Amino acid sequence: MLDAEKIKATVTPVSEKDVAQGKVLSVRWKPDLRYAWDNGIAIGRYLQELKNGRIMAKRCNGCRRIMIPPRMFCELCWRPTDEWVQVKDTGTINTFVVSHIDWKAGRLPKGQRYYTPAVIEIDGASPGMGLLHLIDEIEPYEIKIGMRVKAVWKPAKDRIGAITDIKYFKPI
Amino acid sequence: MGFRRVAIVGAGITKFVRRAQETPKELAYEAVKMALDSCEMTIKDIDCVALGTAPDAFDGVHMKGEYLIDGAGGFRKPYMRHYVGGGTGVFSPIHGWYHVASGMFDTCLVVAEEKMSTCHPHPAGAFLTIFDHTTEQPIYPTLIWIFAMEMHRYMHTYGITKEEIALVSVKNKKNAMDHPSAQLGEEITVQDVLNSEVMAYPVNRLDISPTSDGAAAIILAAEHVANRITDKPVWIDGIGYSLDTAYWCTRDLCYPDYVEKAARMAYDMAGIREPSKEIHVAEPYDPFSYKELHHMEGLLLCKRGEAAKLTADGVTQRTGNLPICPSGGALGVGNPIAATGLMKIIEIFLQLRGEAGKRQVPGNPTCGLAQAWGDLMQVGTVVVMRR
Amino acid sequence: MYKRVAIVGVGSTGFRPTTPDVSYRELTHEAAVRAYMDANIEPKDIDGFVSTSEDFLEGYSISDEYCNDQLGAILKPISTVPGDFIQSLGQAVMMVRSGVCRIVAVQCMSKVSNVLTLSHVVGFAMDPNYNRPLAMHPDFIAGMEMNRYLFETGSSLEQCAAVVVKNKRNALLNPLAGHGASVTVEDVLNSEWVSYPLRRLDVAPPADGAVVMVVAAEDVARSLNEMPIWIRGIGWCSDTPTLESRDWGSAVYTRLAAERAYKMAGIRSPRSEIDFVEISDEYSYKELQHLEELKLCGPGEAGYLTESGATEIDGELPVNASGGCLGVGHLFDANGGQKVLEVVLQLRGEKGKAQIPDARVGLAQSWRGVPTTTGAVVILSNE
């Protein structure tokens, strides 16, 4: 049997205050980690077409799925994918979240709209094929699973070939 | 299949805390020392070391496995790190099992460590880079989003309410009051969960396990060695693991296929046909309250959409027919990712030996399982153990 | 009682300084397709997978998430080893020996050209409390080790330079290699200091590339490939990570890993039983040091062997006929993959102009690079 008293003695808890007051010293290090990822051909064209205001998918003639994001090979059929297909910029909310925190788990400042990310099943892609994006132009807690939405694009001159060329999706 | 039977013969675990003064190496050392002492072995008796630890970003060290060598007892030994995201903790004994079952080594020290408090301002920041760098990261997602999405889809599909899910937090945090490692054992109500701060609807603060620092270790031995070390070996009779596609937006999030695949692999190996009858005690991974329910279904311990009802009926209490997370789980004991998975293995080890003290489930259990999960809601790892 | 294990399929993309045309997924996929074709299998025939990956080199936290699609491993048993490829191969061997899997695919990949701050990433592996605050380029560790190695063995800078000359020349014969060149000992000795006594040309330049291999149990191996390459012995080992107390002059981890591999393979006299080797040469002196630790020659002898031409492709003990890391490129945790690949191709007799005659038993060895003290050794044979 493991001794409870021994377990309790294994670590020394430290509070934020101990650190702030210098009772416990720590080494701070901000790493300089920078990357430039190659997108490859499929995602490369996907981004290029977002710049043009289009969402492109790729079809696999093996499983007949129309896939977004597009990919050069079908991970299920283990074969190269076939033709490019333009899909719509509308879709259906598969699931969503009302987030009161940012990506660092920090609370949002008062007055800032909650983040409402959703998985959106895109029209024209195979059922269940979704994208992660944000929903806006609706009160966060009024969003419903199954709701129909449409992409709101940045003005053409501001697009850079990124997923953020779509500002968000709004209900239709 | 021709492999050697492998037993767990010793275990050690640290206390789980929000922030430990100890370094990651020291945390690992504490757990290893306790594990060796628990079965009266020394580091010289250890043939090899299997290290489990999740993202390097937590501890803030590239090649964290290399950094941990001395603390984890790997000095001048065959030492290998394994990694399946959040499922790493329960994969640890699987990895160790391969070392011994393959006949390459007679004893294997399995260590799992995580020190999440190193990462500033909050370890959640380390999770931004788990998302696809091109198609998802520009939206600045956080880890809780995807789990809240899965929870929402699960609730929607089976018509399950937040109240029903909150019962998991209530049960586990209460169970944890009896666990010496526990960070968050407390008596709370469903109302407390629902009234706690909303993190990302439908997830509230008390639906989430805390971030923690901690370590755990176990010692595995081949049958001929195990019987010399202890008269109460606990056998690893089934292992299973499975990873689903990284294109998580294209999966139906209401059911964990990956857990079912992993469970079936482990059940086949252990010769289990009716899991809900043959498994006497289970420790599914519960970093979020709904995950315990989700995983019970994936583990085939109940029908799809039924886990909430079993919980409400008290079946999953320690005294129920199917005790789930008698340790207090990640929600109550704490969640230093990889160490949590191994904590669950240790809990089953103790339960099957009848050494769980106040946490002991009644009825002399002879078969139990532990399970973990992680990545982009993608991986299931399952270990079936018998007395 | 335990199953013998063989490599029945290999695939690689080749190794280039940059690969802007493909994503990391496509890079691995290409190697996987080749390996599966080589073994005459499809992903559905594979029982288990092992991938090799380190988070900060990929630029992902939990990088193992992104390892299975390109291998055809969806909803299959797959795990990731954050270690060298030869360690991953060790995991695959255990999976087959235990009987859980009959066929296992093992992957490794380098897309290091996408890392813009490589020295910071490598430096991030140093002890955060003791060493990192000194904020030095991680190559200094290799410099310190080289200095101590030269001191203890009496090896010379010229002998180290001879390694560079040989490996870069060998790489010119290797269509997969990305850093082949004709250089002279003078060129090496005239290149700039990186970290005395280490010069620019003593350091392997980074490269991209992927390697996938298929291993199988004996009962299926022969039906998949008419020339299975047998894994006779494999071992891995780690020494201390601390810079303050490590054995700077020798590579203890390689010695211990080799002892295990030799024992498993039943090899008593490595020099006479092993025909050729592919060993870790991220820095020129490492090839010499590792040759000695592998007991292929005595302490301090490796430099003379190199100068005498014994380690050339047509020499008595060919070393790094592929060009090694110096000639192929530093692939980080895929280094072991490139080395095992070369040994397999040599044992199959598929190396053309760079073919080592009568190659029957080969050894591949890897080291995880600075600042680590982890190495692995595998011994392969074609009979």
Side-chain angles (χ1 to χ4, degrees):
Chain A
M1 192 177 294
L2 294 177
D3 184 336
E5 291 314 309
K6 274 193 188 151
I7 290 176
K8 285 176 185 164
T10 49
V11 298
T12 317
V14 181
S15 70
E16 292 298 319
K17 220 169 96 190
D18 294 337
V19 179
Q21 293 177 345
K23 285 185 190 158
V24 173
L25 300 179
S26 57
V27 175
R28 289 181 172 262
W29 186 265
K30 192 173 181 185
D32 182 11
L33 307 173
R34 281 178 286 130
Y35 305 86
W37 291 288
D38 297 321
N39 290 313
I41 291 164
I43 295 293
R45 170 139 188 223
Y46 179 62
L47 299 179
Q48 193 63 41
E49 295 283 5
L50 286 172
K51 207 171 165 186
N52 298 331
R54 288 193 288 260
I55 302 176
M56 296 300 286
K58 260 201 135 190
R59 187 208 306 274
C60 168
N61 288 339
C63 57
R64 302 189 176 214
R65 288 189 306 164
I66 297 175
M67 298 182 283
I68 50 162
R71 48 207 86 161
M72 293 307 284
F73 56 90
C74 175
E75 72 279 5
L76 296 182
C77 304
W78 195 250
R79 61 191 290 284
T81 50
D82 300 282
E83 63 270 26
W84 287 89
V85 181
Q86 185 182 346
V87 294
K88 301 212 170 105
D89 67 350
T90 55
T92 307
I93 295 179
N94 174 293
T95 180
F96 73 95
V97 166
V98 182
S99 179
H100 296 216
I101 55 170
D102 65 15
W103 68 275
K104 293 175 183 163
R107 306 298 177 276
L108 299 184
K110 246 203 161 88
Q112 185 178 330
R113 189 182 184 282
Y114 298 138
Y115 290 107
T116 47
V119 173
I120 300 152
E121 292 183 36
I122 296 292
D123 294 339
S126 294
M129 278 283 167
L131 282 188
L132 172 70
H133 220 298
L134 303 168
I135 307 290
D136 207 331
E137 294 192 30
I138 176 173
E139 280 303 310
Y141 281 97
E142 314 238 305
I143 302 171
K144 296 273 180 290
I145 288 178
M147 200 171 245
R148 301 275 303 145
V149 291
K150 180 175 176 35
V152 176
W153 296 83
K154 279 185 181 166
K157 64 174 175 38
D158 296 341
R159 293 184 207 142
I160 56 166
I163 187 71
T164 46
D165 287 350
I166 296 173
K167 285 203 290 191
Y168 49 80
F169 284 72
K170 65 169 187 186
I172 15 180
Chain B
M1 289 196 195
F3 50 76
R4 309 205 273 197
R5 215 168 172 210
V6 181
I8 305 178
V9 296
I13 189 167
T14 69
K15 191 169 164 49
F16 291 177
V17 295
R18 169 69 188 88
R19 181 169 188 161
Q21 188 173 359
E22 283 75 8
T23 63
K25 288 174 194 255
E26 288 162 354
L27 288 173
Y29 169 79
E30 291 289 345
V32 169
K33 180 78 171 57
M34 193 184 297
L36 290 168
D37 289 348
S38 78
C39 53
E40 296 174 353
M41 289 171 80
T42 71
I43 197 73
K44 289 197 183 113
D45 302 319
I46 298 297
D47 290 347
C48 64
V49 180
L51 177 84
T53 185
D56 299 36
F58 287 154
D59 297 54
V61 185
H62 172 46
M63 303 204 278
K64 187 161 90 172
E66 303 300 322
Y67 163 74
L68 283 170
I69 290 171
D70 39 9
F75 175 61
R76 296 197 173 170
K77 289 190 194 295
Y79 170 92
M80 204 193 296
R81 176 180 168 199
H82 53 273
Y83 194 21
V84 282
T88 300
V90 171
F91 189 76
S92 300
I94 297 178
H95 194 236
W97 181 90
Y98 276 127
H99 280 72
V100 179
S102 64
M104 303 256 297
F105 305 93
D106 284 343
T107 57
C108 180
L109 169 65
V110 179
V111 189
E113 182 279 340
E114 217 79 59
K115 184 168 164 99
M116 300 172 77
S117 65
T118 308
C119 193
H120 275 259
H122 190 281
F127 285 120
L128 173 64
T129 53
I130 72 170
F131 292 90
D132 186 282
H133 44 57
T134 307
T135 59
E136 290 170 354
Q137 276 182 35
I139 298 169
Y140 285 98
T142 158
L143 183 75
I144 294 175
W145 286 11
I146 50 171
F147 302 138
M149 294 223 196
E150 195 178 65
M151 174 166 169
H152 205 173
R153 189 75 197 166
Y154 176 62
M155 290 166 60
H156 177 82
T157 305
Y158 300 114
I160 294 166
T161 63
K162 274 177 59 64
E163 285 80 357
E164 291 172 296
I165 290 173
L167 280 171
V168 174
S169 282
V170 174
K171 167 177 71 75
N172 289 3
K173 284 182 195 293
K174 181 156 187 289
N175 284 351
M177 291 171 74
D178 299 325
H179 200 299
S181 294
Q183 182 177 352
L184 277 188
E186 56 184 338
E187 209 144 347
I188 56 165
T189 64
V190 168
Q191 214 49 48
D192 290 336
V193 179
L194 299 181
N195 290 344
S196 64
E197 182 187 5
V198 180
M199 305 300 285
Y201 173 84
V203 172
N204 292 46
R205 168 164 285 291
L206 290 177
D207 285 310
I208 309 181
S209 57
T211 57
S212 317
D213 294 352
I218 58 171
I219 292 162
L220 304 180
E223 188 161 13
H224 67 285
V225 182
N227 289 331
R228 288 206 304 266
I229 298 171
T230 174
D231 49 10
K232 285 200 285 185
V234 169
W235 304 99
I236 294 181
D237 275 356
I239 57 152
Y241 53 112
S242 173
L243 183 72
D244 207 340
T245 172
Y247 296 106
W248 65 275
C249 288
T250 71
R251 282 189 261 130
D252 197 339
L253 302 178
C254 75
Y255 184 73
D257 282 317
Y258 41 90
V259 172
E260 183 184 327
K261 277 269 187 185
R264 286 189 186 279
M265 178 175 167
Y267 293 155
D268 279 351
M269 196 185 281
I272 288 177
R273 298 212 172 141
E274 288 185 87
S276 61
K277 290 191 185 138
E278 294 176 58
I279 304 284
H280 302 143
V281 50
E283 282 275 342
Y285 196 42
D286 60 330
F288 295 82
S289 49
Y290 79 99
K291 267 319 252 188
E292 177 170 310
L293 307 176
H294 213 223
H295 290 152
M296 283 167 64
E297 294 169 16
L299 290 167
L300 311 172
L301 295 175
C302 62
K303 293 204 182 96
R304 294 186 189 199
E306 245 188 15
K309 186 168 180 304
L310 290 184
T311 307
D313 293 347
V315 175
T316 61
Q317 296 284 349
R318 264 189 214 139
T319 49
N321 263 341
L322 180 61
I324 302 285
C325 291
S327 66
L331 286 163
V333 184
N335 194 10
I337 312 290
T340 311
L342 206 50
M343 178 276 283
K344 287 174 173 289
I345 295 284
I346 293 172
E347 180 69 11
I348 299 297
F349 169 71
L350 296 174
Q351 292 283 356
L352 297 181
R353 280 164 63 118
E355 294 182 354
K358 282 196 226 163
R359 304 189 307 283
Q360 185 65 47
V361 306
N364 239 341
T366 57
C367 181
L369 79 73
Q371 173 258 334
W373 152 91
D375 290 354
L376 289 166
M377 308 175 286
Q378 209 181 340
V379 65
T381 49
V382 177
V383 169
V384 174
M385 292 146 73
R386 285 203 186 93
R387 184 151 47 111
Chain C
M1 145 180 174
Y2 300 105
K3 300 195 159 142
R4 285 180 80 199
V5 188
I7 295 173
V8 295
V10 291
S12 95
T13 56
F15 310 99
R16 291 175 279 158
T18 61
T19 47
D21 49 330
V22 283
S23 68
Y24 67 98
R25 280 188 171 121
E26 290 154 10
L27 193 71
T28 292
H29 181 72
E30 183 184 332
V33 167
R34 289 169 196 245
Y36 300 169
M37 279 175 66
D38 190 38
N40 205 13
I41 56 168
E42 290 177 44
K44 66 173 168 54
D45 304 319
I46 303 173
D47 305 314
F49 297 80
V50 185
S51 70
T52 312
S53 156
E54 273 289 358
D55 280 6
F56 286 114
L57 284 172
E58 316 286 341
Y60 276 124
S61 259
I62 323 190
S63 52
D64 68 287
E65 297 168 347
Y66 294 99
C67 62
N68 67 345
D69 289 305
Q70 50 272 36
L71 293 172
I74 293 167
L75 287 173
K76 290 275 188 98
I78 175 167
S79 63
T80 294
V81 173
D84 181 83
F85 175 85
I86 297 179
Q87 288 180 299
S88 299
L89 191 63
Q91 165 73 1
V93 167
M94 295 192 287
M95 289 162 78
V96 175
R97 274 174 61 104
S98 66
V100 174
C101 301
R102 287 184 320 151
I103 303 177
V104 178
V106 197
Q107 170 266 358
C108 63
M109 187 264 299
S110 162
K111 190 76 167 154
V112 70
S113 67
N114 286 357
V115 183
L116 300 179
T117 51
L118 186 56
S119 60
H120 288 259
V121 170
V122 176
F124 202 38
M126 284 193 270
D127 187 288
N129 304 94
Y130 302 132
N131 307 134
R132 217 189 280 158
L134 300 173
M136 285 195 284
H137 190 287
D139 275 345
F140 89 87
I141 296 169
M144 302 228 290
E145 202 178 70
M146 180 171 181
N147 221 352
R148 186 75 200 175
Y149 169 75
L150 297 180
F151 173 78
E152 285 185 11
T153 59
S155 302
S156 67
L157 291 173
E158 286 75 14
Q159 290 171 335
C160 294
V163 172
V164 182
V165 173
K166 166 180 71 73
N167 289 4
K168 284 197 179 286
R169 183 171 357 98
N170 285 353
L172 291 172
L173 296 175
N174 182 357
L176 301 177
H179 288 284
S182 274
V183 295
T184 63
V185 168
E186 286 68 40
D187 291 336
V188 179
L189 295 179
N190 289 330
S191 64
E192 62 172 333
W193 295 115
V194 170
S195 208
Y196 171 86
L198 201 63
R199 291 183 186 267
R200 174 66 56 209
L201 287 178
D202 285 312
V203 182
D208 290 356
V211 178
V212 174
M213 291 190 191
V214 180
V215 303
E218 182 164 24
D219 42 348
V220 284
R222 288 182 203 280
S223 67
L224 296 175
N225 195 314
E226 57 192 33
M227 195 191 262
I229 301 300
W230 300 99
I231 298 176
R232 295 258 311 272
I234 190 161
W236 57 93
C237 193
S238 297
D239 198 2
T240 178
T242 62
L243 297 183
E244 289 77 5
S245 62
R246 66 173 58 176
D247 192 338
W248 285 95
S250 52
V252 179
Y253 46 91
T254 296
R255 185 162 72 234
L256 296 175
E259 279 171 10
R260 295 199 73 91
Y262 289 149
K263 192 173 168 209
M264 188 171 163
I267 287 180
R268 297 208 176 143
S269 158
R271 178 75 177 268
S272 61
E273 293 179 62
I274 289 170
D275 300 325
F276 68 102
V277 296
E278 281 286 315
I279 62 179
S280 158
D281 60 331
E282 284 89 343
Y283 303 94
S284 57
Y285 73 96
K286 278 309 236 186
E287 177 170 313
L288 303 180
Q289 186 189 39
H290 287 146
L291 265 180
E292 293 164 11
E293 299 291 352
L294 289 166
K295 300 264 174 13
L296 293 166
C297 63
E301 278 177 25
Y304 295 105
L305 270 185
T306 308
E307 283 182 326
S308 74
T311 59
E312 300 282 349
I313 291 174
D314 56 3
E316 174 214 339
L317 177 67
V319 178
N320 286 330
S322 68
C325 299
L326 289 161
V328 174
H330 185 359
L331 303 161
F332 292 81
D333 287 332
N335 280 336
Q338 182 270 325
K339 291 178 188 304
V340 177
L341 173 74
E342 174 71 15
V343 173
V344 170
L345 296 178
Q346 289 283 3
L347 291 173
R348 287 183 182 177
E350 292 175 1
K351 282 301 291 184
K353 272 193 242 166
Q355 181 64 45
I356 296 163
D358 288 333
R360 289 177 303 108
V361 180
L363 175 149
Q365 175 262 340
S366 64
W367 163 58
R368 295 199 67 204
V370 291
T372 78
T373 50
T374 291
V377 173
V378 60
I379 295 154
L380 301 162
S381 79
N382 55 12
E383 52 198 26

